[in-house]
Amino acid sequence: MHRSLRRLFKGVVLGLAFFVGFVGVLQLVPYGRAHSNPPVVQEPRWDQPRTRELAKRACFDCHSNETRWPWYSHLAPFSWTLQRDVEVGRSVLNFSEWNRSYELAHEAGPTVIRRDMPPSKYTLMHGDADLTEDEKVELARGLHATFGAPGRI
């Protein structure tokens, strides 16, 4: 029994060493560390301050130039996912560069109502972005009033 315990311990140590080495090698990949926050050029004309407040809590990290980069955003492979999410989010809708045209801006409210935004992987790590049902409706209505949209919310 003593010998099998020693083998088990050796296997665990080797597995852990392999894992740490693998994660270390992942850090050599250069993508995912361009954590830039360009200057805010222009924000939309919010229908009311509350809409901006809710959007800041639930949307700004991916849809503005005011991204909060948490500590794990510097660790691959998390850094890769966060970098991609911010790049895609800013390209679709960027509240900090409202001098550009965003074809899907009118969809902002409906995505909140459909529970597509903010994504659950984001709210899991950012509890303040996990809006109540009433706040989701309030945000969706505010986005609708700010950006306009076909149909009713």
Side-chain angles (χ1 to χ4, degrees):
M1 181 110 183
H2 182 50
R3 182 179 281 177
S4 62
L5 214 54
R6 189 178 296 178
R7 279 188 195 164
L8 176 64
F9 180 73
K10 186 177 179 181
V12 168
V13 168
L14 286 175
L16 187 58
F18 175 79
F19 177 76
V20 168
F22 180 72
V23 170
V25 168
L26 291 180
Q27 305 316 305
L28 299 176
V29 176
Y31 179 75
R33 293 190 180 81
H35 299 151
S36 66
N37 277 336
V40 174
V41 177
Q42 178 181 343
E43 281 199 25
R45 296 182 82 189
W46 299 99
D47 70 314
Q48 58 180 317
R50 178 71 171 156
T51 302
R52 185 186 188 282
E53 175 192 329
L54 290 171
K56 185 170 177 83
R57 274 180 46 203
C59 314
F60 269 40
D61 276 344
C62 291
H63 295 283
S64 81
N65 294 346
E66 300 178 47
T67 303
R68 296 173 295 171
W69 297 100
W71 66 268
Y72 54 86
S73 69
H74 301 279
L75 282 178
F78 307 111
S79 59
W80 306 340
T81 302
L82 269 68
Q83 186 71 43
R84 182 183 173 284
D85 288 350
V86 170
E87 288 172 0
V88 169
R90 287 177 179 173
S91 73
V92 172
L93 183 71
N94 188 335
F95 297 127
S96 298
E97 296 181 7
W98 210 248
N99 56 323
R100 297 174 39 203
S101 175
Y102 296 100
E103 184 179 322
L104 298 175
H106 68 276
E107 284 293 318
T111 62
V112 173
I113 291 296
R114 286 192 311 263
R115 311 299 188 259
D116 294 340
M117 289 289 157
S120 56
K121 69 178 182 179
Y122 177 76
T123 57
L124 183 66
M125 297 300 290
H126 300 86
D128 60 326
D130 194 9
L131 305 177
T132 67
E133 292 304 312
D134 289 342
E135 288 174 326
K136 288 176 185 176
V137 170
E138 187 179 2
L139 175 59
R141 286 187 176 147
L143 293 172
H144 175 76
T146 300
F147 309 133
R152 289 179 55 131
I153 296 179

